[in-house]
Amino acid sequence: MDSNTPKKRPLEEVSPNVLYSPPKRRASFGFEMASIPTTSITNEHNQSSKVSKLPKPFTAANSNSNQLSYLNDFQSILSMQERLSRKPPLTISAPFDYKSTISHVGSNELQDTLSSLNQECREKHRKLEYLTDELNRLRRIYRNYQQKVETTTSEIHNVQASLEYMEEEIVNHVGNEEKLIEIKLNENRIKLDNQFTEIEFEMASEVQEVRNFDYTELVDKIDALKQAESKLMEEIKQQSAANDEKYNAEVDKLKKSLEDEIKEAQQEENESKLVLEQLLKDLEKITADYRSKLSEFETQSRQIEGLKLQITNIEETMNNYVNVKKETESELSNVKRILDEKVAQDKIEQQEFDTVYLEYSSLHDKVKKHDDHRRILENSIMEYQGKIRVYAIAKADEYENCFSKCFQEDTPSSFIVEEFSHFVKTVIRGTNVSIISQYLPGGTIICQTMNQLLHIQNQPSTWQFQFEYQAVEINQSIDLLTGSKLTQSSLFQSQKMRIDEPSRVGGIINGFDVNKDVIVHVITVNGVKEKKQFESRLVLVDISKVDSNEQMNIIQKLLRNDKSTYLDRVLEWISKRSNPLVVSKINDLNAFNLLKTINLTNVASKKK
């Protein structure tokens, strides 16, 4: 064969009418289509966009129009392929020349065009299958939701029918009760009439016998019968009165029972109405969710058009799908195994936590009881010593054994108040108690103390307590409850407020607008037990808002007092007529020495 003669090519490469069929392919719509797993397409679609589960209401016209649009695309492609198939096959028997080369090039271009069209047809067909499955799934979801709506509607109708039936049953029951009462009344009337007729018949027969016999002989008998008749009439009247009373009592009982039944029926009717309203609200909520999901479905349906650009990327990743799937499954199994291990470990740790928590609860209760017992003992010891109590707050532990109690600066204020709670509670036993607070806000102490006193008041006791509250701003001489000027003629004569609701009193205390001034809080306790009674006071002098020098001067007045001002008179009452407590912070050596001196001073009220 001559070297210039071109070699023959396979028939399927030359003629566009002969299609090459690769192995393991399937035919559809008259052309060849590659077999692509549908599960991968579904997964990729789910990753790219989440389609709403609620169906979009559609008609047969919409579905037919969508299907017709895709069928028109396929028919246009098929008609193109048929036109190509009608062309006569090309022959390669002629010698090679330039024109034959051009025809070969043209056939290659047609072959490429045909392959591209086949590729597009396959893409259209896959998309049609996927959208058909989605359409069927959405129809099923729509039918499910429609069935749920029908079920809810039927339940509403059933509830309405039951309410109507209950109403008819109540009316029938009331009518039956009324008929039963009428029947009983008629029976009582008939019995009385029969008794009367019997007595009348007996009396008539006796009168006839008297007429027939000798009147002179039966005069005594007639008198006896008249007396018997009068007695019988009285008995009849008594019996009728008793019957009337029984009748009225029976009628009252029936009325009460009827009213109770009507109330129960009304309650059941109200409950049924509430259930019906709840069901209607649920129906409205379901309808709103349905509308929102419907709008989301419309948005997702518009986004489906954008999936055309992603189909090419899906085909490129299909070759690696199996490996990616295996790797994902292995990772998923590892994650599941780790999750099972963590769940088992969590169960073990939860059991351990429950055990530890039970132990912690029991220990916490024991510690709380121990603290209460310790505070009671410490308070008893301090009362026995008869010294002025000093609770100091310091930075270090070097002053721990120098005062009645010593706390760190980071100690919570509630814990400090709890430490002297048993001391404060002695006010309900008729003892005057006073506190001078340089460190803690007075409102905090008063609010916590009020809660403790009201808790004691609510406990069963033979004593009856009444608590009253007063508050005075010293330098401005203002009654904080009324806002008026205070007359300094006598102590504790300002406006009093009864303590019933601690939240209301606490709101008033927290609303005091006082800056750089001393506030005196007073709680008066009135105790009554049969013929016994007492009056005691808890006086709290809040000096936490003034400067440190003035604080030390006020505390020093517990030792030396000239009684010139209202505050001096209050401090004199504290030092001589109450058990005082000083809560102060140690800022310097002078403060330490002053507090130490006060702690060594005897309580004046104990000397009497």
Short mmCIF file of all heavy atoms in Angstrom, two decimals, residues 124-179:
data_model
loop_
_atom_site.label_atom_id
_atom_site.label_comp_id
_atom_site.label_asym_id
_atom_site.label_seq_id
_atom_site.Cartn_x
_atom_site.Cartn_y
_atom_site.Cartn_z
N LYS A 124 -30.08 16.49 31.02
CA LYS A 124 -31.50 16.81 31.12
C LYS A 124 -32.29 15.63 31.69
O LYS A 124 -33.20 15.80 32.50
CB LYS A 124 -32.06 17.19 29.75
CG LYS A 124 -31.51 18.46 29.17
CD LYS A 124 -32.11 19.67 29.87
CE LYS A 124 -31.67 20.97 29.21
NZ LYS A 124 -32.27 22.14 29.85
N HIS A 125 -31.95 14.44 31.24
CA HIS A 125 -32.67 13.27 31.71
C HIS A 125 -32.44 13.04 33.20
O HIS A 125 -33.37 12.73 33.96
CB HIS A 125 -32.22 12.04 30.91
CG HIS A 125 -32.99 10.80 31.27
ND1 HIS A 125 -32.50 9.86 32.15
CD2 HIS A 125 -34.22 10.38 30.91
CE1 HIS A 125 -33.37 8.90 32.29
NE2 HIS A 125 -34.44 9.18 31.55
N ARG A 126 -31.18 13.18 33.66
CA ARG A 126 -30.91 13.02 35.08
C ARG A 126 -31.66 14.07 35.90
O ARG A 126 -32.22 13.77 36.96
CB ARG A 126 -29.40 13.13 35.35
CG ARG A 126 -28.61 11.90 34.94
CD ARG A 126 -27.22 11.92 35.55
NE ARG A 126 -26.43 13.09 35.11
CZ ARG A 126 -25.68 13.12 34.02
NH1 ARG A 126 -25.60 12.04 33.26
NH2 ARG A 126 -25.01 14.19 33.70
N LYS A 127 -31.66 15.29 35.42
CA LYS A 127 -32.38 16.33 36.14
C LYS A 127 -33.87 16.05 36.17
O LYS A 127 -34.55 16.28 37.18
CB LYS A 127 -32.10 17.69 35.50
CG LYS A 127 -32.74 18.87 36.26
CD LYS A 127 -32.33 20.19 35.71
CE LYS A 127 -33.05 20.43 34.39
NZ LYS A 127 -32.82 21.78 33.87
N LEU A 128 -34.42 15.55 35.04
CA LEU A 128 -35.85 15.21 35.01
C LEU A 128 -36.17 14.12 36.02
O LEU A 128 -37.17 14.19 36.74
CB LEU A 128 -36.23 14.75 33.59
CG LEU A 128 -37.70 14.33 33.41
CD1 LEU A 128 -38.63 15.48 33.72
CD2 LEU A 128 -37.94 13.80 32.00
N GLU A 129 -35.32 13.08 36.12
CA GLU A 129 -35.56 12.01 37.10
C GLU A 129 -35.51 12.55 38.53
O GLU A 129 -36.36 12.22 39.37
CB GLU A 129 -34.52 10.90 36.91
CG GLU A 129 -34.72 10.09 35.65
CD GLU A 129 -33.65 8.99 35.52
OE1 GLU A 129 -32.69 9.04 36.32
OE2 GLU A 129 -33.78 8.12 34.65
N TYR A 130 -34.51 13.38 38.77
CA TYR A 130 -34.38 13.93 40.13
C TYR A 130 -35.58 14.80 40.48
O TYR A 130 -36.17 14.69 41.57
CB TYR A 130 -33.09 14.74 40.24
CG TYR A 130 -32.95 15.47 41.53
CD1 TYR A 130 -32.69 14.79 42.72
CD2 TYR A 130 -33.11 16.86 41.58
CE1 TYR A 130 -32.57 15.45 43.90
CE2 TYR A 130 -33.01 17.53 42.77
CZ TYR A 130 -32.73 16.82 43.93
OH TYR A 130 -32.62 17.49 45.11
N LEU A 131 -36.00 15.68 39.57
CA LEU A 131 -37.13 16.57 39.85
C LEU A 131 -38.43 15.79 39.96
O LEU A 131 -39.32 16.15 40.73
CB LEU A 131 -37.24 17.64 38.76
CG LEU A 131 -36.09 18.65 38.72
CD1 LEU A 131 -36.27 19.60 37.55
CD2 LEU A 131 -36.00 19.43 40.01
N THR A 132 -38.56 14.70 39.19
CA THR A 132 -39.77 13.86 39.31
C THR A 132 -39.84 13.23 40.70
O THR A 132 -40.90 13.20 41.34
CB THR A 132 -39.75 12.78 38.23
OG1 THR A 132 -39.65 13.40 36.95
CG2 THR A 132 -41.06 11.96 38.28
N ASP A 133 -38.70 12.71 41.18
CA ASP A 133 -38.67 12.13 42.54
C ASP A 133 -39.01 13.19 43.58
O ASP A 133 -39.74 12.93 44.55
CB ASP A 133 -37.30 11.52 42.83
CG ASP A 133 -37.01 10.33 41.94
OD1 ASP A 133 -37.98 9.72 41.44
OD2 ASP A 133 -35.80 10.01 41.72
N GLU A 134 -38.44 14.39 43.42
CA GLU A 134 -38.73 15.46 44.37
C GLU A 134 -40.21 15.83 44.35
O GLU A 134 -40.83 16.07 45.38
CB GLU A 134 -37.89 16.71 44.05
CG GLU A 134 -36.45 16.61 44.44
CD GLU A 134 -36.29 16.58 45.95
OE1 GLU A 134 -37.01 17.33 46.62
OE2 GLU A 134 -35.47 15.78 46.42
N LEU A 135 -40.80 15.86 43.12
CA LEU A 135 -42.21 16.19 43.00
C LEU A 135 -43.07 15.15 43.71
O LEU A 135 -44.02 15.49 44.43
CB LEU A 135 -42.59 16.30 41.52
CG LEU A 135 -44.04 16.71 41.22
CD1 LEU A 135 -44.34 18.08 41.81
CD2 LEU A 135 -44.29 16.69 39.72
N ASN A 136 -42.74 13.89 43.53
CA ASN A 136 -43.51 12.84 44.21
C ASN A 136 -43.37 12.93 45.72
O ASN A 136 -44.33 12.75 46.48
CB ASN A 136 -43.04 11.47 43.73
CG ASN A 136 -43.39 11.23 42.26
OD1 ASN A 136 -44.41 11.75 41.78
ND2 ASN A 136 -42.56 10.49 41.53
N ARG A 137 -42.14 13.21 46.17
CA ARG A 137 -41.93 13.33 47.62
C ARG A 137 -42.71 14.51 48.19
O ARG A 137 -43.34 14.40 49.25
CB ARG A 137 -40.44 13.51 47.90
CG ARG A 137 -40.10 13.51 49.38
CD ARG A 137 -38.61 13.62 49.58
NE ARG A 137 -38.08 14.88 49.09
CZ ARG A 137 -38.15 16.02 49.78
NH1 ARG A 137 -38.68 16.03 50.98
NH2 ARG A 137 -37.66 17.14 49.28
N LEU A 138 -42.72 15.63 47.50
CA LEU A 138 -43.46 16.80 47.98
C LEU A 138 -44.96 16.55 47.97
O LEU A 138 -45.70 17.03 48.83
CB LEU A 138 -43.12 18.02 47.13
CG LEU A 138 -41.68 18.53 47.25
CD1 LEU A 138 -41.43 19.66 46.29
CD2 LEU A 138 -41.40 18.99 48.67
N ARG A 139 -45.43 15.78 46.98
CA ARG A 139 -46.86 15.42 46.98
C ARG A 139 -47.22 14.59 48.20
O ARG A 139 -48.25 14.79 48.83
CB ARG A 139 -47.19 14.65 45.70
CG ARG A 139 -47.29 15.54 44.45
CD ARG A 139 -47.53 14.71 43.23
NE ARG A 139 -47.70 15.53 42.02
CZ ARG A 139 -47.77 15.05 40.78
NH1 ARG A 139 -47.68 13.74 40.59
NH2 ARG A 139 -47.92 15.85 39.76
N ARG A 140 -46.33 13.63 48.52
CA ARG A 140 -46.60 12.81 49.70
C ARG A 140 -46.64 13.67 50.97
O ARG A 140 -47.49 13.49 51.84
CB ARG A 140 -45.53 11.72 49.84
CG ARG A 140 -45.63 10.62 48.78
CD ARG A 140 -44.78 9.42 49.18
NE ARG A 140 -43.37 9.76 49.29
CZ ARG A 140 -42.51 9.72 48.28
NH1 ARG A 140 -42.92 9.34 47.07
NH2 ARG A 140 -41.24 10.04 48.47
N ILE A 141 -45.68 14.59 51.09
CA ILE A 141 -45.65 15.48 52.27
C ILE A 141 -46.91 16.33 52.34
O ILE A 141 -47.51 16.52 53.40
CB ILE A 141 -44.39 16.36 52.24
CG1 ILE A 141 -43.14 15.49 52.39
CG2 ILE A 141 -44.42 17.41 53.33
CD1 ILE A 141 -41.86 16.23 52.18
N TYR A 142 -47.33 16.84 51.17
CA TYR A 142 -48.55 17.65 51.14
C TYR A 142 -49.76 16.85 51.59
O TYR A 142 -50.60 17.31 52.35
CB TYR A 142 -48.76 18.21 49.74
CG TYR A 142 -50.06 18.94 49.56
CD1 TYR A 142 -50.25 20.20 50.15
CD2 TYR A 142 -51.12 18.38 48.86
CE1 TYR A 142 -51.44 20.88 50.00
CE2 TYR A 142 -52.31 19.05 48.71
CZ TYR A 142 -52.47 20.31 49.29
OH TYR A 142 -53.65 20.98 49.17
N ARG A 143 -49.84 15.60 51.11
CA ARG A 143 -50.97 14.76 51.52
C ARG A 143 -50.94 14.49 53.03
O ARG A 143 -51.99 14.46 53.69
CB ARG A 143 -50.94 13.43 50.75
CG ARG A 143 -51.38 13.57 49.28
CD ARG A 143 -51.69 12.21 48.67
NE ARG A 143 -50.49 11.38 48.56
CZ ARG A 143 -49.67 11.36 47.52
NH1 ARG A 143 -49.90 12.15 46.48
NH2 ARG A 143 -48.61 10.57 47.50
N ASN A 144 -49.74 14.28 53.59
CA ASN A 144 -49.62 14.06 55.04
C ASN A 144 -50.11 15.27 55.82
O ASN A 144 -50.86 15.14 56.80
CB ASN A 144 -48.18 13.72 55.41
CG ASN A 144 -47.74 12.38 54.86
OD1 ASN A 144 -48.57 11.49 54.67
ND2 ASN A 144 -46.45 12.22 54.61
N TYR A 145 -49.68 16.47 55.40
CA TYR A 145 -50.10 17.68 56.12
C TYR A 145 -51.61 17.91 55.95
O TYR A 145 -52.29 18.34 56.87
CB TYR A 145 -49.33 18.89 55.61
CG TYR A 145 -48.03 19.09 56.32
CD1 TYR A 145 -46.85 18.56 55.81
CD2 TYR A 145 -47.98 19.78 57.53
CE1 TYR A 145 -45.66 18.73 56.48
CE2 TYR A 145 -46.80 19.96 58.19
CZ TYR A 145 -45.63 19.43 57.66
OH TYR A 145 -44.45 19.60 58.32
N GLN A 146 -52.12 17.61 54.75
CA GLN A 146 -53.57 17.76 54.56
C GLN A 146 -54.34 16.80 55.45
O GLN A 146 -55.37 17.14 56.04
CB GLN A 146 -53.90 17.49 53.09
CG GLN A 146 -55.35 17.84 52.72
CD GLN A 146 -55.60 17.70 51.22
OE1 GLN A 146 -54.74 17.20 50.51
NE2 GLN A 146 -56.75 18.13 50.77
N GLN A 147 -53.79 15.58 55.61
CA GLN A 147 -54.43 14.61 56.52
C GLN A 147 -54.41 15.09 57.96
O GLN A 147 -55.37 14.91 58.71
CB GLN A 147 -53.74 13.26 56.38
CG GLN A 147 -54.42 12.13 57.16
CD GLN A 147 -53.74 10.80 56.93
OE1 GLN A 147 -52.72 10.75 56.24
NE2 GLN A 147 -54.28 9.75 57.51
N LYS A 148 -53.25 15.71 58.38
CA LYS A 148 -53.17 16.25 59.74
C LYS A 148 -54.19 17.35 59.98
O LYS A 148 -54.83 17.42 61.02
CB LYS A 148 -51.76 16.79 60.01
CG LYS A 148 -50.71 15.70 60.15
CD LYS A 148 -49.36 16.31 60.44
CE LYS A 148 -48.29 15.23 60.55
NZ LYS A 148 -46.96 15.80 60.80
N VAL A 149 -54.36 18.24 58.99
CA VAL A 149 -55.35 19.32 59.11
C VAL A 149 -56.76 18.74 59.22
O VAL A 149 -57.58 19.18 60.04
CB VAL A 149 -55.24 20.28 57.91
CG1 VAL A 149 -56.37 21.29 57.92
CG2 VAL A 149 -53.90 21.01 57.94
N GLU A 150 -57.06 17.73 58.41
CA GLU A 150 -58.38 17.10 58.49
C GLU A 150 -58.59 16.44 59.86
O GLU A 150 -59.67 16.50 60.44
CB GLU A 150 -58.53 16.07 57.37
CG GLU A 150 -58.61 16.72 55.97
CD GLU A 150 -58.65 15.66 54.86
OE1 GLU A 150 -58.52 14.47 55.20
OE2 GLU A 150 -58.82 16.04 53.68
N THR A 151 -57.52 15.79 60.37
CA THR A 151 -57.65 15.15 61.69
C THR A 151 -57.93 16.19 62.78
O THR A 151 -58.77 15.99 63.66
CB THR A 151 -56.35 14.40 62.01
OG1 THR A 151 -56.09 13.46 60.96
CG2 THR A 151 -56.47 13.66 63.33
N THR A 152 -57.20 17.32 62.72
CA THR A 152 -57.43 18.39 63.72
C THR A 152 -58.84 18.94 63.62
O THR A 152 -59.51 19.18 64.63
CB THR A 152 -56.41 19.51 63.50
OG1 THR A 152 -55.10 18.96 63.52
CG2 THR A 152 -56.52 20.55 64.60
N THR A 153 -59.33 19.13 62.38
CA THR A 153 -60.70 19.63 62.18
C THR A 153 -61.73 18.65 62.75
O THR A 153 -62.69 19.04 63.39
CB THR A 153 -60.94 19.87 60.70
OG1 THR A 153 -59.92 20.71 60.17
CG2 THR A 153 -62.29 20.55 60.48
N SER A 154 -61.49 17.36 62.50
CA SER A 154 -62.43 16.36 63.02
C SER A 154 -62.41 16.35 64.56
O SER A 154 -63.45 16.19 65.20
CB SER A 154 -62.06 14.98 62.48
OG SER A 154 -60.80 14.57 62.96
N GLU A 155 -61.22 16.52 65.16
CA GLU A 155 -61.16 16.59 66.63
C GLU A 155 -61.93 17.79 67.17
O GLU A 155 -62.63 17.68 68.18
CB GLU A 155 -59.70 16.67 67.08
CG GLU A 155 -58.93 15.38 66.87
CD GLU A 155 -57.49 15.52 67.31
OE1 GLU A 155 -57.11 16.63 67.70
OE2 GLU A 155 -56.75 14.50 67.24
N ILE A 156 -61.85 18.92 66.47
CA ILE A 156 -62.60 20.12 66.89
C ILE A 156 -64.09 19.85 66.82
O ILE A 156 -64.86 20.17 67.73
CB ILE A 156 -62.20 21.33 66.04
CG1 ILE A 156 -60.74 21.72 66.33
CG2 ILE A 156 -63.11 22.51 66.30
CD1 ILE A 156 -60.18 22.73 65.39
N HIS A 157 -64.53 19.22 65.71
CA HIS A 157 -65.97 18.89 65.59
C HIS A 157 -66.41 17.92 66.68
O HIS A 157 -67.51 18.04 67.22
CB HIS A 157 -66.22 18.29 64.21
CG HIS A 157 -66.08 19.28 63.08
ND1 HIS A 157 -66.55 20.60 63.17
CD2 HIS A 157 -65.52 19.17 61.85
CE1 HIS A 157 -66.29 21.23 62.04
NE2 HIS A 157 -65.65 20.39 61.21
N ASN A 158 -65.54 16.96 67.01
CA ASN A 158 -65.89 16.00 68.06
C ASN A 158 -66.05 16.70 69.41
O ASN A 158 -66.96 16.39 70.19
CB ASN A 158 -64.82 14.91 68.16
CG ASN A 158 -64.80 14.00 66.93
OD1 ASN A 158 -65.83 13.82 66.29
ND2 ASN A 158 -63.65 13.46 66.60
N VAL A 159 -65.13 17.65 69.71
CA VAL A 159 -65.23 18.39 70.97
C VAL A 159 -66.52 19.22 71.02
O VAL A 159 -67.23 19.25 72.03
CB VAL A 159 -64.00 19.29 71.15
CG1 VAL A 159 -64.19 20.21 72.35
CG2 VAL A 159 -62.75 18.45 71.34
N GLN A 160 -66.86 19.87 69.88
CA GLN A 160 -68.11 20.63 69.84
C GLN A 160 -69.32 19.73 70.04
O GLN A 160 -70.26 20.06 70.76
CB GLN A 160 -68.21 21.38 68.52
CG GLN A 160 -67.19 22.52 68.37
CD GLN A 160 -67.26 23.20 67.03
OE1 GLN A 160 -67.95 22.71 66.13
NE2 GLN A 160 -66.56 24.30 66.88
N ALA A 161 -69.31 18.55 69.39
CA ALA A 161 -70.42 17.62 69.54
C ALA A 161 -70.55 17.14 70.99
O ALA A 161 -71.65 17.00 71.53
CB ALA A 161 -70.24 16.44 68.61
N SER A 162 -69.38 16.86 71.63
CA SER A 162 -69.43 16.41 73.03
C SER A 162 -69.99 17.50 73.94
O SER A 162 -70.75 17.22 74.87
CB SER A 162 -68.03 16.01 73.49
OG SER A 162 -67.18 17.11 73.48
N LEU A 163 -69.62 18.78 73.65
CA LEU A 163 -70.18 19.88 74.44
C LEU A 163 -71.70 19.98 74.27
O LEU A 163 -72.45 20.18 75.23
CB LEU A 163 -69.51 21.19 74.05
CG LEU A 163 -68.04 21.34 74.44
CD1 LEU A 163 -67.49 22.64 73.88
CD2 LEU A 163 -67.89 21.32 75.94
N GLU A 164 -72.17 19.87 73.02
CA GLU A 164 -73.62 19.91 72.79
C GLU A 164 -74.32 18.75 73.49
O GLU A 164 -75.38 18.90 74.09
CB GLU A 164 -73.88 19.87 71.28
CG GLU A 164 -73.40 21.14 70.54
CD GLU A 164 -73.60 21.03 69.04
OE1 GLU A 164 -74.04 19.94 68.60
OE2 GLU A 164 -73.32 22.01 68.33
N TYR A 165 -73.69 17.55 73.42
CA TYR A 165 -74.29 16.39 74.09
C TYR A 165 -74.35 16.60 75.61
O TYR A 165 -75.35 16.26 76.26
CB TYR A 165 -73.47 15.14 73.76
CG TYR A 165 -73.94 13.91 74.51
CD1 TYR A 165 -75.12 13.26 74.14
CD2 TYR A 165 -73.20 13.42 75.59
CE1 TYR A 165 -75.55 12.15 74.84
CE2 TYR A 165 -73.63 12.30 76.28
CZ TYR A 165 -74.81 11.66 75.90
OH TYR A 165 -75.22 10.56 76.59
N MET A 166 -73.28 17.16 76.18
CA MET A 166 -73.28 17.43 77.63
C MET A 166 -74.37 18.42 78.00
O MET A 166 -75.04 18.28 79.03
CB MET A 166 -71.91 17.96 78.05
CG MET A 166 -70.80 16.91 78.04
SD MET A 166 -69.20 17.63 78.35
CE MET A 166 -69.49 18.26 79.99
N GLU A 167 -74.57 19.46 77.16
CA GLU A 167 -75.62 20.45 77.45
C GLU A 167 -77.00 19.80 77.44
O GLU A 167 -77.83 20.00 78.33
CB GLU A 167 -75.54 21.58 76.43
CG GLU A 167 -76.51 22.70 76.68
CD GLU A 167 -76.34 23.83 75.68
OE1 GLU A 167 -75.48 23.69 74.80
OE2 GLU A 167 -77.07 24.82 75.80
N GLU A 168 -77.26 18.97 76.41
CA GLU A 168 -78.55 18.27 76.35
C GLU A 168 -78.72 17.34 77.55
O GLU A 168 -79.80 17.23 78.13
CB GLU A 168 -78.63 17.48 75.04
CG GLU A 168 -78.72 18.38 73.79
CD GLU A 168 -78.74 17.56 72.52
OE1 GLU A 168 -78.64 16.32 72.63
OE2 GLU A 168 -78.88 18.15 71.44
N GLU A 169 -77.63 16.66 77.94
CA GLU A 169 -77.72 15.72 79.07
C GLU A 169 -78.04 16.47 80.36
O GLU A 169 -78.84 15.99 81.19
CB GLU A 169 -76.40 14.97 79.21
CG GLU A 169 -76.48 13.83 80.20
CD GLU A 169 -75.18 13.06 80.24
OE1 GLU A 169 -74.25 13.47 79.53
OE2 GLU A 169 -75.12 12.05 80.94
N ILE A 170 -77.44 17.65 80.55
CA ILE A 170 -77.72 18.44 81.76
C ILE A 170 -79.18 18.88 81.78
O ILE A 170 -79.87 18.78 82.80
CB ILE A 170 -76.78 19.65 81.82
CG1 ILE A 170 -75.33 19.18 82.07
CG2 ILE A 170 -77.20 20.61 82.90
CD1 ILE A 170 -74.31 20.25 81.86
N VAL A 171 -79.71 19.35 80.64
CA VAL A 171 -81.11 19.80 80.58
C VAL A 171 -82.05 18.63 80.87
O VAL A 171 -83.03 18.74 81.62
CB VAL A 171 -81.39 20.42 79.19
CG1 VAL A 171 -82.88 20.71 79.04
CG2 VAL A 171 -80.58 21.70 79.02
N ASN A 172 -81.74 17.46 80.28
CA ASN A 172 -82.58 16.29 80.52
C ASN A 172 -82.54 15.87 81.99
O ASN A 172 -83.56 15.49 82.58
CB ASN A 172 -82.11 15.13 79.64
CG ASN A 172 -82.36 15.41 78.16
OD1 ASN A 172 -83.32 16.12 77.82
ND2 ASN A 172 -81.52 14.89 77.28
N HIS A 173 -81.33 15.95 82.58
CA HIS A 173 -81.21 15.57 83.99
C HIS A 173 -82.03 16.50 84.88
O HIS A 173 -82.72 16.05 85.81
CB HIS A 173 -79.74 15.60 84.40
CG HIS A 173 -79.50 15.18 85.82
ND1 HIS A 173 -79.65 13.88 86.24
CD2 HIS A 173 -79.16 15.91 86.91
CE1 HIS A 173 -79.41 13.81 87.52
NE2 HIS A 173 -79.10 15.02 87.97
N VAL A 174 -81.96 17.82 84.61
CA VAL A 174 -82.74 18.78 85.39
C VAL A 174 -84.24 18.51 85.24
O VAL A 174 -85.01 18.52 86.20
CB VAL A 174 -82.39 20.22 84.97
CG1 VAL A 174 -83.31 21.21 85.64
CG2 VAL A 174 -80.94 20.52 85.33
N GLY A 175 -84.68 18.24 83.99
CA GLY A 175 -86.10 17.93 83.78
C GLY A 175 -86.53 16.68 84.51
O GLY A 175 -87.61 16.63 85.11
N ASN A 176 -85.67 15.66 84.50
CA ASN A 176 -86.00 14.42 85.20
C ASN A 176 -86.10 14.64 86.71
O ASN A 176 -86.96 14.08 87.39
CB ASN A 176 -84.95 13.35 84.90
CG ASN A 176 -84.99 12.92 83.43
OD1 ASN A 176 -86.07 12.95 82.81
ND2 ASN A 176 -83.84 12.54 82.87
N GLU A 177 -85.16 15.47 87.26
CA GLU A 177 -85.23 15.76 88.69
C GLU A 177 -86.52 16.48 89.06
O GLU A 177 -87.16 16.19 90.08
CB GLU A 177 -84.02 16.60 89.10
CG GLU A 177 -82.68 15.88 89.03
CD GLU A 177 -82.60 14.79 90.08
OE1 GLU A 177 -83.30 14.90 91.11
OE2 GLU A 177 -81.84 13.83 89.85
N GLU A 178 -86.92 17.45 88.22
CA GLU A 178 -88.17 18.17 88.49
C GLU A 178 -89.38 17.23 88.44
O GLU A 178 -90.29 17.28 89.26
CB GLU A 178 -88.33 19.31 87.49
CG GLU A 178 -87.32 20.44 87.69
CD GLU A 178 -87.47 21.52 86.64
OE1 GLU A 178 -88.26 21.31 85.69
OE2 GLU A 178 -86.81 22.58 86.79
N LYS A 179 -89.38 16.34 87.42
CA LYS A 179 -90.49 15.38 87.33
C LYS A 179 -90.53 14.46 88.55
O LYS A 179 -91.60 14.12 89.07
CB LYS A 179 -90.34 14.55 86.05
CG LYS A 179 -90.61 15.36 84.80
CD LYS A 179 -90.39 14.48 83.55
CE LYS A 179 -90.66 15.29 82.27
NZ LYS A 179 -90.43 14.46 81.06
#
